[in-house]
Amino acid sequence: MRSCKHYTVRLMLYRDNELDDREKREVEAHLKSCDACRAVFNRENRFLKDVQRAHPLYQTSLKLRTRIVSIVEEVCGLLDADRLEPRRRGAVS
């Protein structure tokens, strides 16, 4: 039998459906038999659901969002820094 530490690492992978069928069955069997791991799993699920239900504290202005997108595009090389115009796909600088 594997330790709780082994399963604790896999609980979020299980929650995110990232385990293969064999691993999924192992985690499910362990959760059925282990009160401590089941409590951790349930607590994490409640926390994540609370986070998903939370609303942003504020909405950024369109001006700020536009500026951020512009900076990210420039840094990522999607804009020609000299002309600040979008590069054409396939164009060589």
Side-chain angles (χ1 to χ4, degrees):
M1 180 131 210
R2 296 183 187 212
S3 70
C4 289
K5 184 176 181 179
H6 170 83
Y7 290 104
T8 303
V9 172
R10 286 163 179 72
L11 290 178
M12 290 304 108
L13 294 174
Y14 172 76
R15 185 193 143 337
D16 293 337
N17 200 27
E18 295 184 20
L19 299 176
D20 64 34
D21 290 339
R22 181 189 56 78
E23 291 172 313
K24 196 181 300 185
R25 286 190 303 271
E26 283 182 22
V27 170
E28 288 168 350
H30 184 75
L31 287 172
K32 285 181 184 177
S33 65
C34 181
D35 293 337
C37 286
R38 190 171 48 253
V40 168
F41 182 72
N42 290 335
R43 184 174 59 244
E44 291 291 326
N45 277 339
R46 282 191 305 273
F47 171 75
L48 290 172
K49 285 178 184 176
D50 288 345
V51 169
Q52 290 168 347
R53 280 192 301 264
H55 297 286
L57 297 176
Y58 60 89
Q59 177 116 9
T60 58
S61 68
L62 178 59
K63 182 178 177 180
L64 177 59
R65 290 193 310 264
T66 303
R67 184 169 177 233
I68 291 169
V69 168
S70 176
I71 291 168
V72 169
E73 287 176 338
E74 185 176 338
V75 169
C76 292
L78 299 175
L79 292 179
D80 183 89
D82 296 329
R83 295 180 295 152
L84 292 178
E85 295 175 2
R87 288 186 181 165
R88 294 181 185 201
R89 291 186 182 251
V92 179
S93 299

